[in-house]
Amino acid sequence: NDEPPQVEAKAASSFPVASNLEANAAGYKLDQQVPVSGALQEVQNSFGYLPEEALDGLAQALDVPLGQLFSVATFYSFFRLNPPGAHHLQVCEGTACHVLGADRLSSKLARDLKVGSEDVSEDRLFSLEKVRCLGCCSMAPVVRIDAQTFGRVRQQDLAKLLKPYQSEGTTVKINRIEDLSRRAEAAREL
């Protein structure tokens, strides 16, 4: 079914959840019918992904079954159920990029970075996502690393593109892991 799940929630005046969620959702009042996707976006903005503990708290706060939240979260590709890597790679798979070898770029990145089933490298330094279109068709094939977009990328270019992100090394990885650990702990406190 290609129709998005139609889930709406009615709750009291605001999120009665952990303070870090409250900070991001300060003005987000739910005293009227509001699509759940907006509330899920607030959670993802706070944690970088949708931790199950935060979804449990949100389901209770919105008086919505947890299964309905998962239905919406898994329907839309921009929601993540797993923590991302320290650097987020996106490979465009729009028509122009696909025709010019985006699938080969994705395969090489996954192989070289040892990306596992959660689309995150073993060292959690990189997460890899295939996206429908990055809007840079004239530069196809396109790879985005964090907020920087690279065009006309060939397989032999990938190592050079990744090198600055890999050379940041252990410090970035440890800081990212510590940040994710703090966020996960906050989600458990819900």
Side-chain angles (χ1 to χ4, degrees), residues 6-25:
Q6 298 297 313
V7 180
E8 293 190 350
K10 187 165 181 125
S13 59
S14 66
F15 288 106
V17 293
S19 60
N20 58 342
L21 273 178
E22 275 182 31
N24 281 353

Side-chain angles (χ1 to χ4, degrees), residues 172-189:
V172 169
K173 188 168 103 177
I174 289 172
N175 289 342
R176 178 67 175 161
I177 290 170
E178 288 173 352
D179 180 52
L180 290 172
S181 296
R182 281 192 299 275
R183 290 175 180 212
E185 183 62 34
R188 281 191 286 279
E189 291 174 5

